[in-house]
Amino acid sequence: MEDTSVVQLHQNKPEDECPNLSLRPLYVSDIDAFMVWATDEKVAHFCSWEPCTNKEDGLSFIKNTIVPHPWFRAICVDDRPIGAISVTSNSGKDKCRGELGYVLALKYWGRGIATRAVGMVADIIFDERPHLERLEALVDVENLGSQRVLEKAGFQREGVLRKYIFLKGRSRDVVMFSLLSTDHCPT
């Protein structure tokens, strides 16, 4: 079986601002890069977590949450983490579904990097996890940028789930997006 812990995409198109994009595990040694996005309130605004306030909290999060996660990858440019992406599998009767989540440092927003990272995950996750038939993402209705990322990556917008989650002190509406294993043809 092919090792997909590191996935690289080298597309040297003239319009491509980040030709050396890769996904790899996030390590404790990546703490300084991690803190760039993990401490940014704008980045964390639509996330389920609050921004880290110090390096010790960041190290603890990496050690206790990220490292043990079964499918969590750093989004890297030239092997330097600029964000992260994860797939969380469900179990039992819901094991055919996995939930996608991603985050990207603010300075890289609007460059197509998140769209490419989502596409890279879609290219490998259904092979790595053959029991997965559906990859889904829940996006705050106000997070238009993330909605565009998923649409460009081939996800289908399924609808709005009203008052679906309680996040940062209030109930929120979210948009459900999905990509089925039968929808996706790896690039």
Side-chain angles (χ1 to χ4, degrees), residues 33-44:
F34 172 80
M35 293 300 287
V36 170
W37 75 82
T39 58
D40 190 323
E41 289 187 23
K42 286 183 181 177
V43 171

Side-chain angles (χ1 to χ4, degrees), residues 95-112:
K95 73 178 185 176
C96 62
R97 294 185 290 123
E99 186 172 340
L100 177 73
Y102 51 91
V103 62
L104 196 63
L106 184 63
K107 87 178 228 179
Y108 295 95
W109 289 8
R111 297 185 185 187

